[in-house]
Amino acid sequence: MDYPNDQAPGAPVRSGIPEHGRIPKYYAVKARIDRLVGELGEGGTIPTERDLSEQYGVARETVRQALRELVLEGKLRRQGRGTVVAGPKLAQPLSLASYTEGVRRQGRTPGRSLVTLDRFPCPAALAAETGLERGEPVWHLERVLLADEERVGLESTYVAVARLPHLDSEFEPDSSFYAYLHERGIGFGDADERIETVLATPREALLVGTPPALPMLLIHRISRDTEGRPLERVRSLYRGDRFSFTTHLRG
């Protein structure tokens, strides 16, 4: 198999061209716009669909499909009635570090906006997952995740009221929940995580400010303290066009 001399590590093999060599027309246009993205750099304005269709000699619907995929991949973003080059994705580590730490490492300003903080009796499903007692009071903390004031995700945290009885009066909703726990002498021991790809519900899409059809990365986490007791159950929804996740593996 022939590889181009400039084949980038991690790029699709042979630029994604099938072995039979027949390339969908939209994909050829997408590849050309993708090169334009690299030339323009972050914030650069992409020509209009009409201009691109004339330049490449294809139908506007072909250009529209190419742009749509590049937007879904996070390489482009809509701005007003135009399209511009998006910035790099946030690379969040898969670790017990907080969202705040991960965003700050990349020179971005983390933030959170409170959606709700309420308490209710622990339902059977949550009790089975965490080891909490069914019916015991639990807090539900839901916040929109921000990076440089851009909405990038939605986080729901469930924790026993007995562990944090004054969460509603002591905790600043726009601050790090993990820092709040640390200040109270509560340390993390271990956690189980599961990642899947989902589409946001209409409510979630509205809160995060994305189209319902945009793929999202969903992380489920169940954490325990240093003594092995259940600590939190977290459901974190991240924009698939703005996030990637990293981890370090050792043999």
Side-chain angles (χ1 to χ4, degrees), residues 5-251:
N5 292 330
D6 60 351
Q7 176 79 43
V13 175
R14 295 181 59 193
S15 298
I17 301 172
E19 308 310 301
H20 55 55
R22 295 190 295 275
I23 310 170
K25 189 174 292 185
Y26 87 90
Y27 191 88
V29 172
K30 176 184 173 183
R32 296 177 73 175
I33 298 175
D34 198 11
R35 288 195 293 270
L36 181 60
V37 166
E39 295 168 3
L40 292 174
E42 182 177 352
T45 301
I46 298 296
T48 65
E49 290 180 4
R50 181 176 181 178
D51 290 341
L52 289 171
S53 65
E54 292 177 356
Q55 181 179 346
Y56 299 145
V58 297
R60 289 183 64 173
E61 180 55 37
T62 301
V63 171
R64 190 172 297 124
Q65 184 177 356
L67 292 174
R68 188 183 303 122
E69 287 202 0
L70 289 168
V71 169
L72 288 174
E73 291 174 4
K75 295 179 179 179
L76 299 177
R77 62 182 174 85
R78 305 296 187 183
Q79 182 170 288
R81 299 185 65 181
T83 305
V84 299
V85 178
K89 290 187 178 184
L90 289 158
Q92 187 76 352
L94 289 172
S95 68
L96 281 173
S98 71
Y99 168 80
T100 299
E101 295 172 25
V103 173
R104 280 179 176 162
R105 286 198 197 106
Q106 296 168 78
R108 306 284 293 276
T109 302
R112 293 175 177 85
S113 175
L114 180 66
V115 178
T116 183
L117 173 57
D118 52 13
R119 55 187 287 174
F120 59 92
C122 182
L126 182 60
E129 279 191 334
T130 60
L132 297 173
E133 292 295 325
R134 181 177 180 180
E136 74 168 291
V138 296
W139 292 114
H140 172 224
L141 172 65
E142 185 180 36
R143 297 180 293 173
V144 174
L145 302 175
L146 308 171
D148 290 342
E149 300 301 324
E150 177 187 13
R151 289 179 286 174
V152 294
L154 184 67
E155 181 180 78
S156 284
T157 301
Y158 302 88
V159 61
V161 172
R163 297 297 298 267
L164 300 169
H166 306 297
L167 183 68
D168 57 340
S169 59
E170 295 179 342
F171 179 63
E172 294 294 334
D174 61 349
S175 65
S176 168
F177 180 65
Y178 287 7
Y180 174 79
L181 293 175
H182 180 72
E183 290 168 0
R184 278 146 190 80
I186 301 174
F188 284 91
D190 67 297
D192 295 315
E193 283 193 338
R194 176 167 57 88
I195 304 175
E196 59 183 309
T197 304
V198 298
L199 297 179
T201 66
R203 175 180 180 270
E204 291 168 337
L206 183 64
L207 287 170
V208 182
T210 63
L214 181 71
M216 310 289 277
L217 295 168
L218 175 61
I219 293 186
H220 302 272
R221 173 186 284 187
I222 298 176
S223 305
R224 292 167 286 273
D225 63 18
T226 52
E227 297 178 2
R229 295 180 299 171
L231 182 53
E232 61 165 1
R233 201 288 191 197
V234 183
R235 181 184 190 276
S236 300
L237 192 69
Y238 295 94
R239 288 177 52 168
D241 64 333
R242 301 303 301 133
F243 268 90
S244 65
F245 289 90
T246 64
T247 189
H248 176 68
L249 304 176
R250 301 186 65 175

